[in-house]
RNA sequence: GUGGCCAUAGUUCAGUUGGUUAGAACGCCAGGUUGUGGCCCUGGAGGUCGUGGGUUCGACCCCCACUGGCCACCCCA
């Protein structure tokens, strides 16, 4: 085999596509209930869109993007996430002028050049939403409810909602300075990785998985205790809205988002059914992003959720019913003439929306019966010389094994009443 | 990018201390009397043992490199 799919990419084969469709239907149903409208943006953009919004220093931008020059030497990038493109489209098309609040959702592929592992691919799929135009904490909660509702409707139970606040340009720098000061006091107790993080992204030291870091930072102050009054009020608003809905949640003062544009609310939904990459969805508020990308100052909240991770959980614990379409009738032709009659008839029935299958391999009666059985066809119609002459045939019900005599001109009626 | 484990029919896997024609199950195909599937029985097709080197009289087996997969780190959905 010399031609293979790219590392970290996967074919979604017919055996799996039914469950994908079921999940996508659930997503669209929830989006409709919450009144979000779909937006479809290109999967590649100018590189600078991502480097500016996500942040030059993030891992995504600094080492994970699929970036290339096109024939006119312009630097383009396969989107590593959805938000930047949606905001670009929002600004470019002046959606903010058409209505004060835009509620948008998307479903589609994203690309990051990482080492593949459980729950991580180089081309993966996300669904997500962006709500632009309101800074109400209720909207933050609405954003959390959408993925939770998708999971609930798919029968997924083992999810946990974590929330935090990452502050804003008023309070975060002050806290950051304090944190760095504290961390420097205990720097030799930190893991080597965290010592490096102290320079690049000190907030990350807090959610390190390394036991040394967790021990060492036990008493370090957290952002949520240093919020400015506006951010603190917002965080309270989020919590009370969740409380009013009786949605269980945990405050994780160490939760950090990977992308630079987040302000105030950050949240994550995890599942114990996943491996090391246990985040099913993550999101938060980004009140400065629209302005940074050249739009009017507009507050926004959103989330992104991994489709493959959803599939993993679904396969383990979910209860989705995938309805597979089976042929209502499998028409077997015994000779040339019957086969061509069957082909014409099948086409007519199919145009009425009735699923029909035929043999195209010149197979024997026995083989065709086997095929009909394998396809779980509801009925089988055997057509030969005498059937064409008499204009009638026996239609066999494959479940019960019983046959009924029908007129060939009235197959539709027979199928309907059978 | 770093590390651990792994790579044999379409699929899931066996394959003795290196030794003749590499096996099983499932799947696929054909038959088990004339035009009726499932269950059962019989037979059949299907493998450059991931790729390329090396060691050896001889390599699926040992060594090296590469590629890919799985899992973890990093990071994240």
């Amino acid at each position: 085999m010399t031609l293979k799919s790219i590392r970290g990419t996967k074919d979604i084969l017919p055996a799996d596509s039914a469950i994908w469709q079921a999940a996508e239907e659930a997503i669209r149903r929830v989006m409709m209930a919450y009144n979000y409208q779909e937006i479809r943006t290109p999967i590649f953009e100018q590189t600078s869109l991502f480097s500016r919004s996500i942040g030059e220093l993030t891992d995504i931008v600094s080492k994970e993007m699929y970036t290339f020059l096109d024939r006119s030497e312009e630097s383009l990038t396969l989107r590593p996430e959805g938000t930047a493109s949606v905001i670009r489209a929002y600004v470019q098309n002046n959606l903010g002028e058409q209505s004060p609040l835009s509620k948008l959702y998307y479903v589609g592929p994203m690309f990051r050049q990482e080492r593949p592992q459980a729950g991580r691919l180089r081309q993966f799929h996300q669904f997500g939403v962006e709500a632009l135009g309101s800074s109400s904490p209720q909207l933050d909660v609405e954003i959390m409810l959408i993925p939770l509702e998708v999971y609930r409707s798919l029968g997924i139970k083992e999810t946990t909602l974590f929330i935090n606040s990452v502050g804003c340009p008023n309070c975060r720098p002050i806290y950051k300075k304090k944190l760095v000061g504290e961390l420097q006091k205990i720097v030799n107790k930190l893991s080597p990785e965290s010592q490096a993080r102290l320079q690049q992204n000190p907030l990350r030291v807090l959610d390190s998985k390394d036991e040394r870091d967790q021990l060492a930072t036990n008493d370090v102050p957290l952002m949520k205790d240093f919020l400015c009054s506006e951010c603190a009020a917002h965080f309270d608003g989020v919590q009370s809205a969740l409380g009013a809905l009786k949605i269980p949640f945990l405050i994780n003062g160490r939760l950090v988002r990977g992308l630079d544009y987040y302000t105030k609310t950050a949240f994550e939904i995890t599942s114990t059914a996943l491996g090391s990459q246990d985040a099913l969805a993550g999101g938060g508020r980004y009140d400065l992003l629209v302005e940074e990308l050249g739009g009017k100052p507009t507050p926004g909240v959103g989330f992104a959720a991994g489709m493959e991770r959803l599939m993993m959980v679904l396969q383990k614990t979910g209860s989705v019913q995938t309805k597979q379409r089976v042929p209502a009738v499998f028409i077997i032709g015994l000779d040339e003439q019957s086969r061509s009659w069957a082909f014409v008839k099948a086409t007519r029935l199919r145009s009425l929306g009735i699923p029909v299958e035929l043999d195209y391999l010149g197979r024997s009666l026995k083989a065709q019966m086997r095929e009909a059985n394998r396809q779980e066809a509801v009925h089988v119609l055997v057509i030969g010389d005498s059937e064409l002459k008499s204009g009638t045939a026996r239609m066999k019900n494959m479940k019960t094994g019983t046959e009924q005599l029908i007129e060939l001109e009235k197959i539709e009626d027979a199928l309907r009443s059978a």
Side-chain angles (χ1 to χ4, degrees):
Chain A
M1 195 55 194
T2 46
L3 255 29
K4 290 194 294 190
S5 59
I6 304 299
R7 177 169 209 197
T9 68
K10 264 206 170 77
D11 299 311
I12 298 164
L13 298 172
D16 300 316
S17 54
I19 191 164
W20 274 76
Q21 286 172 12
E24 285 161 5
E25 277 166 30
I27 290 163
R28 291 183 196 284
R29 233 184 351 257
V30 173
M31 294 304 176
M32 214 177 285
Y34 279 83
N35 193 31
Y36 284 71
Q37 292 183 297
E38 187 180 18
I39 182 167
R40 303 191 187 199
T41 65
I43 61 167
F44 63 138
E45 300 268 358
Q46 288 178 17
T47 300
S48 56
L49 171 64
F50 301 117
S51 49
R52 275 171 54 190
S53 61
I54 299 169
E56 298 277 2
L57 293 178
T58 60
D59 281 24
I60 292 178
V61 171
S62 63
K63 51 190 189 197
E64 294 172 0
M65 294 205 302
Y66 279 100
T67 295
F68 59 97
L69 293 179
D70 74 358
R71 283 167 199 265
S72 58
E73 306 285 298
E74 183 172 18
S75 181
L76 306 179
T77 294
L78 261 34
R79 65 180 184 197
E81 59 108 38
T83 301
S85 307
V86 172
I87 304 303
R88 194 226 80 231
Y90 171 85
V91 172
Q92 181 178 338
N93 297 289
N94 296 315
L95 297 187
E97 306 301 317
Q98 295 170 34
S99 64
L101 180 62
S102 294
K103 305 213 300 184
L104 305 166
Y105 82 91
Y106 60 84
V107 183
M110 308 293 164
F111 307 84
R112 310 223 283 234
Q113 187 161 185
E114 296 184 274
R115 187 87 170 239
Q117 82 181 73
R120 173 191 292 163
L121 291 170
R122 290 185 168 184
Q123 173 172 341
F124 58 104
H125 298 77
Q126 290 187 328
F127 66 97
V129 316
E130 316 295 345
L132 288 328
S134 164
S135 47
S136 163
Q138 277 187 355
L139 198 55
D140 301 40
V141 171
E142 176 168 303
I143 296 292
M144 300 172 193
L145 293 172
I146 292 170
L148 286 173
E149 177 59 22
V150 169
Y151 303 143
R152 194 198 60 78
S153 74
L154 289 169
I156 294 171
K157 297 208 167 71
E158 305 77 1
T159 59
T160 310
L161 169 65
F162 291 100
I163 66 167
N164 192 22
S165 176
V166 297
C168 67
N170 289 325
C171 49
R172 187 158 48 193
I174 300 170
Y175 164 73
K176 215 167 173 176
K177 206 172 270 176
K178 183 161 182 65
L179 175 67
V180 171
E182 294 292 323
L183 290 177
Q184 250 143 16
K185 287 185 206 159
I186 54 168
V187 66
N188 45 15
K189 288 185 190 163
L190 297 175
S191 67
E193 290 85 1
S194 282
Q195 294 184 15
R197 278 192 276 249
L198 188 50
Q199 311 301 323
Q200 289 279 325
N201 196 345
L203 296 186
R204 277 224 166 281
V205 175
L206 296 179
D207 73 344
S208 166
K209 284 180 195 166
D210 198 297
E211 274 187 29
R212 286 169 290 182
D213 297 332
Q214 289 175 2
L215 271 167
T217 61
N218 218 356
D219 302 320
V220 151
L222 298 175
M223 181 74 240
K224 67 183 176 71
D225 299 316
F226 288 82
L227 297 174
C228 62
S229 58
E230 187 190 321
C231 287
H234 187 89
F235 196 36
D236 284 346
V238 168
Q239 290 175 57
S240 62
L242 283 168
L245 294 166
K246 298 190 171 65
I247 304 288
F249 67 93
L250 295 171
I251 296 177
N252 177 0
R254 292 160 183 268
L255 179 66
V256 180
R257 298 273 76 221
L259 297 73
D260 280 358
Y261 50 66
Y262 284 104
T263 53
K264 295 198 171 99
T265 311
F267 74 94
E268 203 163 282
I269 299 168
T270 63
S271 165
T272 51
L274 290 171
S276 171
Q277 310 302 320
D278 65 350
L280 223 32
R285 180 161 279 282
Y286 44 85
D287 287 344
L288 274 17
L289 181 59
V290 175
E291 191 176 1
E292 266 168 44
L293 291 180
K296 286 188 190 166
T298 309
V301 232
F303 78 84
M307 289 291 291
E308 281 81 1
R309 290 185 188 177
L310 171 55
M311 295 304 143
M312 287 169 75
V313 177
L314 237 34
Q315 257 139 25
K316 264 194 180 165
T317 68
S319 56
V320 242
Q321 289 162 19
T322 58
K323 44 182 188 243
Q324 62 167 147
R325 281 287 249 169
V326 297
V329 62
F330 191 108
I331 307 180
I332 294 176
L334 293 177
D335 51 45
E336 267 319 302
Q337 204 190 351
S338 317
R339 282 172 186 276
S340 71
W341 179 90
F343 186 59
V344 171
K345 195 66 185 178
T347 304
R348 210 168 286 148
L349 292 173
R350 286 164 169 172
S351 73
L352 295 172
I354 300 168
V356 183
E357 191 51 287
L358 296 173
D359 171 64
Y360 294 97
L361 300 174
R363 283 183 279 192
S364 66
L365 170 66
K366 178 173 180 161
Q368 291 193 58
M369 285 299 295
R370 236 193 334 253
E371 185 61 31
N373 182 59
R374 190 179 6 234
Q375 304 254 346
E376 296 182 69
V378 183
H379 301 281
V380 158
L381 208 56
V382 180
I383 304 298
D385 218 20
S386 55
E387 281 79 6
L388 291 184
K389 247 176 227 149
S390 67
T392 60
R394 285 172 309 173
M395 188 166 74
K396 179 168 187 172
N397 181 312
M398 293 294 275
K399 270 252 165 54
T400 63
T402 57
E403 295 184 336
Q404 68 177 120
L405 199 66
I406 64 159
E407 286 180 49
L408 293 183
E409 285 313 306
K410 295 179 181 167
I411 295 177
E412 309 90 278
D413 302 335
L415 286 171
R416 237 169 257 140
S417 61

